[in-house]
Amino acid sequence: MSLLKKTQKGLADIIPGLGRFTFDAEVGKVFVTSGTGVIGYRVAASLLEAGHKDVRVGVWKGDRGKIPGGGDKPFVDGLVAALEEKGAEVVDFDWTDASCYDTVLQGVKTVFCSLPNLDDWASVFPAFLLKCKDMKVEHFIKISFLHNKAGMVYREKVPFVQFHCTCDDLLEQAPLNSRISYTILCASHLMTTPLLHQGDLLRKEHKFVTASYGMGVNYVSPNDVADAAVVVLLNRKEHRNKVYNLTGPGPITDAEVCKLLSKAYQTEIEHVSLGYHDYVKSVKARGLPTWLVKDSATFEKIKASGIDELKESYSKDLEKLIGRKPETFEGYFANTEAMRPGIKFP
C-alpha cells in the first residue's frame, strides 16, 4: 500500500519561488518516464490514487518485448490497462528516439526519471535533459545508485553505476543554465532486482543463486523508494537541488533472503552460493544480456567484500523522508498490495 493511500492525504501545496524563476503553486503535469517499471509504476499509481490525475506515463517501446525476468507483452499491457483505469495518460516513449521528446514533455512541470541501461546513454540522457530545459520543465527527480562511500566503490567498478552517476553529474549542473531544479534519490540494492533477474530460475527450478559469500547486503524496498519519490513530488521546494541516499534497515545475507522467499511463496527454494567465476557462468546460462552479466557479477564481487555491512554504508535519509523505518525484506514480501499486478515475483 502506498504512503498516500495509507495516510489518505491529498496533494500538498507547492510554495513558489527560487531565485529568478517562478514556480507555480501546483504540482502540475508529471511525466513518469517508465510507468511499467518497478519504481515508476508505484509512483504513478500513488499519485493517481491520491487524486492527482495529471500524470503522463511513458511506456518505453523496449518494454513491449521480453523483459529479463519481468514479464512479456501481456504483462506490460496489463500494467498499462491498470494505470489507464486509474486515470493515467499513457504514451509511447523511447529514450533513443529524440523525435518523441516534444510530445511526452508537452506541458510537463515535473519529470520522474528511472533510467534503464542504454547503449548510447552518453548522448541520450544529455539530449533528453536538454529538451527538458527547452520545454521549461521545472523539477527533475531521478533514481540513481548510492552516492555515499560504498556507492563510490560501486561507481569505480560497475558500468551501470558509472553511467547513472555521470548522468547525475549532468543533472546537478542543470540549475546553472535553466529553470530546472533536481532531486536525486540514490537507492541501494533494490529488493526486486534479484527476483526479477532470477525470476525464471526461481519459478522453474526453485533456486536462488548468489555469490556474496555470506556477507550482508544493503537491500532497500522499492515501496520505500517510491514513497520517498512521492514525498519529493508533493513538496518540491523543500527538496530542490538535493541528493538523498536511500538505504535499507540493515545488512541481510542472501541465505536469509532465500529463507524468506521460501516462506513468502510457500515453496522450498534452494540457496546456491557460488564463487565469482561460476556465478558468471550461471548468469550467462540464463541468457541475460552481456551488460547485465557483467554488472550482476561485479555487484556480487563487491557485496562479497563486506562493504554493505559497514555502518557508513547506511543513511537516515529514507526514514526522514517517509517518516517511518525502512521496510524489511519480510515486510516487502508481505506488502502484496503495492506490487505490480500480473506477475508472481514482482
Side-chain angles (χ1 to χ4, degrees):
M1 184 180 296
S2 69
L3 175 68
L4 292 174
K5 199 168 182 181
K6 283 179 182 176
T7 60
Q8 297 298 308
K9 291 182 179 179
L11 293 170
D13 291 332
I14 307 299
I15 302 173
L18 177 67
R20 68 183 187 277
F21 300 119
T22 299
F23 289 79
D24 292 344
E26 298 177 357
V27 175
K29 187 181 293 295
V30 178
F31 176 53
V32 179
T33 62
S34 180
T36 59
V38 169
I39 305 296
Y41 178 84
R42 286 164 165 82
V43 170
S46 290
L47 287 174
L48 293 162
E49 287 167 4
H52 183 63
K53 298 303 181 183
D54 207 357
V55 179
R56 179 177 293 154
V57 173
V59 177
W60 184 42
K61 293 175 183 177
D63 288 348
R64 298 295 188 180
K66 179 69 176 175
I67 306 170
D72 51 19
K73 186 177 183 298
F75 168 69
V76 173
D77 289 345
L79 296 181
V80 169
L83 289 171
E84 288 180 329
E85 186 177 355
K86 293 177 186 292
E89 174 195 357
V90 178
V91 296
D92 280 333
F93 176 58
D94 186 342
W95 282 99
T96 63
D97 181 8
S99 67
C100 74
Y101 293 174
D102 282 283
T103 300
V104 301
L105 292 173
Q106 185 64 44
V108 169
K109 285 187 179 180
T110 302
V111 168
F112 176 77
C113 170
S114 51
L115 190 63
N117 186 287
L118 299 166
D119 290 334
D120 198 24
W121 65 265
S123 60
V124 170
F125 184 77
F128 182 74
L129 183 58
L130 179 61
K131 181 56 67 173
C132 287
K133 295 177 182 180
D134 292 343
M135 301 293 284
K136 310 302 182 188
V137 169
E138 296 177 358
H139 196 199
F140 196 113
I141 302 169
K142 181 182 175 296
I143 299 296
S144 186
F145 195 74
L146 293 177
H147 277 212
N148 58 14
K149 183 178 179 180
M152 291 304 101
V153 174
Y154 284 100
R155 179 174 184 170
E156 289 176 5
K157 301 182 180 298
V158 183
F160 184 65
V161 178
Q162 292 169 1
F163 114 76
H164 259 292
C165 290
T166 302
C167 293
D168 297 344
D169 294 341
L170 293 172
L171 183 55
E172 288 183 85
Q173 298 300 311
L176 300 178
N177 58 8
S178 74
R179 66 190 295 137
I180 291 179
S181 62
Y182 64 84
T183 307
I184 302 175
L185 300 176
C186 307
S188 56
H189 309 281
L190 292 177
M191 293 176 180
T192 43
T193 300
L195 309 185
L196 290 176
H197 293 172
Q198 300 193 43
D200 287 341
L201 193 64
L202 286 164
R203 282 187 289 269
K204 296 175 182 178
E205 299 183 34
H206 301 157
K207 292 181 179 180
F208 183 52
V209 180
T210 67
S212 51
Y213 284 85
M215 303 305 291
V217 181
N218 185 357
Y219 285 114
V220 66
S221 168
N223 301 324
D224 287 347
V225 176
D227 284 349
V230 172
V231 168
V232 171
L233 280 162
L234 300 183
N235 190 2
R236 294 186 297 175
K237 181 180 179 182
E238 183 177 345
H239 304 292
R240 286 180 191 139
N241 303 330
K242 292 186 179 180
V243 177
Y244 296 106
N245 286 298
L246 310 183
T247 56
I252 180 172
T253 66
D254 285 321
E256 292 175 287
V257 172
C258 190
K259 290 179 182 178
L260 293 173
L261 272 167
S262 298
K263 179 181 177 181
Y265 297 106
Q266 299 180 339
T267 300
E268 188 62 33
I269 295 173
E270 177 189 359
H271 179 224
V272 182
S273 181
L274 300 176
Y276 173 78
H277 295 291
D278 286 335
Y279 180 81
V280 172
K281 293 178 183 177
S282 172
V283 180
K284 286 182 177 178
R286 285 179 238 152
L288 297 178
T290 301
W291 66 266
L292 187 53
V293 172
K294 184 175 182 179
D295 284 349
S296 296
T298 309
F299 268 124
E300 292 298 301
K301 196 171 188 177
I302 299 173
K303 291 176 190 175
S305 73
I307 196 168
D308 283 5
E309 293 194 340
L310 300 178
K311 184 178 179 180
E312 55 264 36
S313 296
Y314 294 81
S315 164
K316 293 292 185 181
D317 288 354
L318 178 59
E319 188 174 341
K320 291 175 182 177
L321 281 171
I322 65 177
R324 55 177 168 76
K325 297 287 186 181
E327 190 171 55
T328 64
F329 228 123
E330 187 170 17
Y332 165 68
F333 284 134
N335 193 358
T336 56
E337 187 176 347
M339 295 179 181
R340 295 178 297 169
I343 192 168
K344 185 174 181 181
F345 292 96

